[in-house]
Structures are given as C-alpha cells and as structure tokens.
C-alpha cells in the first residue's frame, strides 16, 4: 500500500538517495552532482514556502516524491507552476508517479494555480507516458539544450491547464491552505 504525505526536511536523505541514481546515471535531470541530504532538506523547506512537496511511502520507506516550483520569476507567470516527479528506480511501473502527480495537481488547483508545466529530457518514454496519461500535452521540443554524459540532449515541454479563472484569483501559498483539505487529497 502506498501512502502519501507532505515531505519534511528530515526526508532529505531518502529523497537524495532516490535522486542520486538519476543524476549519476541518466540525463533525465541535467544536474551533474547529486545533492546530499542536507541540500535536499533545504530544497524541501524552500519549496514548501509556496508549493507542495509530497512523498510516497511503502512500508514507511520513501519510494517516490513530487513537487511544484516557480515556473519563471516574472509576475505574469505567477499562476503557472513547474512540476517534477521521481520514483525509486526499483519501484517504477506501479502507479506511484501517477498517485503523486494526481495529488500534487489537486493541491495546486486548491491553491489557485491555473496551469502546470513539465520539462522532460527526450527520449524518456516512461515520463512522457505518465504526463500524457495525466492529461498533459506536448507543446514543444528544444533541440540540444543540455550536455550530459558525453552527449547533447533535447527537452520536451508538456503543459496542462488545471483551473483557469478570468481574471485569476491570487495563488494561496501552500502553508496557508486548509490542512484538512490537504489530508483529504493525500488519502
């Protein structure tokens, strides 16, 4: 059984261990050096100031995580968030990423976020399949934008509209949301 909860800075070590595989062995992320537990703890704390950061647990072990972050710094982008999801390499194909993303998007909708985007290094069939299953659509591909592991890599941009109002309402910081509503989403 998979349980979802909000990440804490103490989850930094478990999350860093999941992410290290992708940093060290793939071009899925363009980071060259895997962040340690302390750095991930800082990232979690920083992201939670505005957006959700969720972990998935199986038998009290973190098996995946997903978070939202600022898409761009300009004020007009304030209703768009960029999403990321990572699942332990030994736990993929079990629906964990889908559960994480569904909860993440529901919380963002509650916050008043209107659209979400994801950058995917291509080829990455698993990530593309997940995003398309979750209702994202490819809106463009950039060629040779990242150099890692001795090769150039392309990046595809995926987007999904989740709650459009005209004019948009103010986005509610994650920490100001109703905790009961968050718990309902995570259950």
């Amino acid at each position: 059984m998979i349980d979802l909860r909000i990440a804490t800075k103490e989850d930094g070590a478990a999350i860093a261990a999941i992410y290290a595989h992708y940093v060290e062995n793939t071009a899925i992320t363009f980071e060259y050096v895997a962040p340690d537990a302390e750095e991930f703890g800082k990232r979690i704390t920083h992201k939670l100031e505005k957006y959700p950061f969720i972990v998935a647990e199986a038998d009290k072990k973190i098996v995946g995580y997903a978070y939202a972050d600022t898409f761009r710094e300009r004020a007009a982008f304030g209703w768009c968030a960029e999403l990321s999801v990572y699942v332990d390499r030994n736990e993929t194909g079990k629906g964990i990423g889908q559960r994480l993303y569904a909860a993440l998007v529901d919380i963002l909708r509650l916050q008043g976020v209107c659209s979400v985007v994801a950058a995917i290094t291509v080829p990455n069939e698993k990530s593309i399949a997940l995003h398309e299953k979750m209702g994202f659509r490819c809106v463009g591909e950039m060629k040779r934008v990242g150099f890692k592991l001795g090769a150039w890599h392309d990046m595809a941009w995926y987007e999904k509209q989740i709650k459009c109002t005209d004019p948009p309402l103010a986005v509610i910081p994650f920490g100001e949301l109703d905790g009961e509503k968050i718990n309902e989403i995570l259950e």
Side-chain angles (χ1 to χ4, degrees), residues 4-7 15 47-48 51-56 62 64-69 82-87 96-97 99-105:
L4 302 182
R5 66 172 174 78
I6 302 303
I15 290 170
K47 288 177 191 345
L48 284 172
Y51 291 116
F53 196 125
I54 303 169
V55 296
I62 294 176
Y65 64 96
Y67 61 86
D69 203 354
E82 185 173 350
L83 309 187
S84 293
V85 61
Y86 289 90
V87 175
I96 296 167
R99 289 256 338 262
L100 284 162
Y101 250 23
L104 188 66
V105 168

Side-chain angles (χ1 to χ4, degrees), residues 50-52 67-72 76-84 101 104-105 107-109 111-119 136 157-162 171:
K50 186 171 182 182
Y51 291 116
Y67 61 86
D69 203 354
T70 301
F71 171 59
R72 304 271 305 214
F77 290 109
W79 293 270
C80 181
E82 185 173 350
L83 309 187
S84 293
Y101 250 23
L104 188 66
V105 168
I107 293 170
L108 292 167
R109 190 178 287 117
Q111 287 184 263
V113 170
C114 297
S115 61
V116 290
V117 298
F136 286 73
W157 281 98
Y158 279 73
E159 63 93 23
K160 178 179 180 175
Q161 300 298 308
I162 64 172
V171 173

Side-chain angles (χ1 to χ4, degrees), residues 18 28 30 46 54 63 65 70 79 92 130 142 149 158:
I18 290 170
I28 288 172
F30 284 172
H46 174 73
I54 303 169
V63 295
Y65 64 96
T70 301
W79 293 270
T92 62
L130 169 66
M142 299 184 301
L149 301 175
Y158 279 73

